[in-house]
Amino acid sequence: MDVLPLFPLSSVLLPGGHLPLHVFEPRYRQLVEDLVGESLPDRRFGVVAIRQGWEVGEDNVDSMYDVGCSALLDQVRALPGNRYDVSAAGERRFRLLQIDRDTAPYLIAHVQWLPDTEPADDSPARREHLTTAARAAHQRYHATGLRGGNRELPDADAAELSYLLADDCVLTVEDRQDLLAETDPLVRLRNVRRLLLREAEFLRELRAVPAPLAEFTQGTSVN
């Protein structure tokens, strides 16, 4: 069991993902300062997603999912008004075990790391089939033209590829959370393929909608 300071967000961070943040709330400004000043070791913190329709208050931890992702603080830029623009990289999944509300202005969590499990049905042929099918679905998604043209992703094993594909697609919080919590890498890759095909179909239908695409977008959330 390890201890991590928590940063609840309205989005899901995946392993290997990039996390930009605009920090202005006092307790999270303190978190950034503690990370930079090494009061907290290794510049590492935990990101957990907030369930839709909930708000996180000091005594309302039920609004958070119980599986999150650790993040390594990378860039920090101080702004006027004691604000910060920061970036971090997603690392490892964890499960929340216990929340400490009293030690710091921000939440502190006792966590258990959540590694992948051995696939229930595994073979080189199945891995190759799933990898090829998932990459094809990714190309089909981008071939719609509404999310940019064809994009090449680096070589990766099934576990890493599932996260790379998911991070390169617009998905709901619930979809991303389900992928984060799935510990069978081949099931996760199969699920990513299904989501990519679903979103590609949605984007093709959206091309025929006579409305500005801006009406279908949402601004980036901040703390």
Side-chain angles (χ1 to χ4, degrees):
M1 184 171 67
D2 283 322
V3 175
L4 287 174
L6 286 187
F7 202 131
L9 292 173
S10 58
S11 59
V12 177
L13 177 64
L14 299 174
H18 174 67
L19 177 67
L21 291 170
H22 176 65
V23 181
F24 61 87
E25 209 178 310
R27 55 180 166 173
Y28 297 121
R29 295 202 312 258
Q30 185 63 55
L31 172 56
V32 171
E33 291 163 8
D34 288 351
L35 289 166
V36 171
E38 299 185 353
S39 299
L40 296 168
D42 304 324
R43 296 166 68 96
R44 184 170 284 109
F45 60 101
V47 173
V48 286
I50 305 166
R51 298 178 190 273
Q52 282 193 349
W54 292 72
E55 293 293 336
V56 171
E58 291 186 1
D59 300 316
N60 190 10
V61 297
D62 291 338
S63 62
M64 295 185 295
Y65 287 97
D66 64 350
V67 174
C69 182
S70 66
L72 183 64
L73 187 66
D74 181 18
Q75 300 290 329
V76 178
R77 185 163 68 97
L79 301 172
N82 294 322
R83 296 172 295 122
Y84 297 98
D85 277 343
V86 306
S87 65
E91 293 187 309
R92 302 164 61 191
R93 292 176 308 189
F94 60 81
R95 186 179 301 278
L96 292 174
L97 298 180
Q98 185 178 354
I99 301 293
D100 176 1
R101 304 177 181 86
D102 303 320
T103 300
Y106 41 82
L107 298 176
I108 301 288
H110 295 268
V111 305
Q112 180 181 47
W113 299 110
L114 192 64
D116 273 342
T117 55
E118 290 295 325
D121 180 16
D122 194 7
S123 69
R126 182 171 185 243
R127 285 178 177 260
E128 182 178 358
H129 170 73
L130 286 172
T131 297
T132 300
R135 285 185 176 273
H138 176 254
Q139 292 298 324
R140 183 175 176 181
Y141 172 78
H142 281 284
T144 61
L146 294 180
R147 296 294 304 170
N150 290 342
R151 299 178 62 178
E152 294 294 332
L153 293 177
D155 291 335
D157 61 22
E160 183 182 1
L161 180 62
S162 62
Y163 290 131
L164 287 173
L165 294 176
D167 223 33
D168 199 42
C169 175
V170 176
L171 298 173
T172 67
V173 169
E174 290 81 2
D175 286 336
R176 288 173 67 90
Q177 185 65 37
D178 287 345
L179 293 173
L180 181 67
E182 177 56 63
T183 60
D184 184 324
L186 299 189
V187 170
R188 189 168 62 242
L189 188 58
R190 184 188 65 196
N191 291 344
V192 168
R193 174 184 177 272
R194 174 180 55 81
L195 292 169
L196 284 165
L197 292 175
R198 183 196 72 187
E199 294 303 303
E201 184 61 29
F202 171 75
L203 289 174
R204 277 194 295 272
E205 293 176 359
L206 189 61
R207 291 179 69 93
V209 176
L213 291 182
E215 294 185 11
F216 297 91
T217 63
Q218 295 181 340
T220 303
S221 62
V222 295
N223 73 289

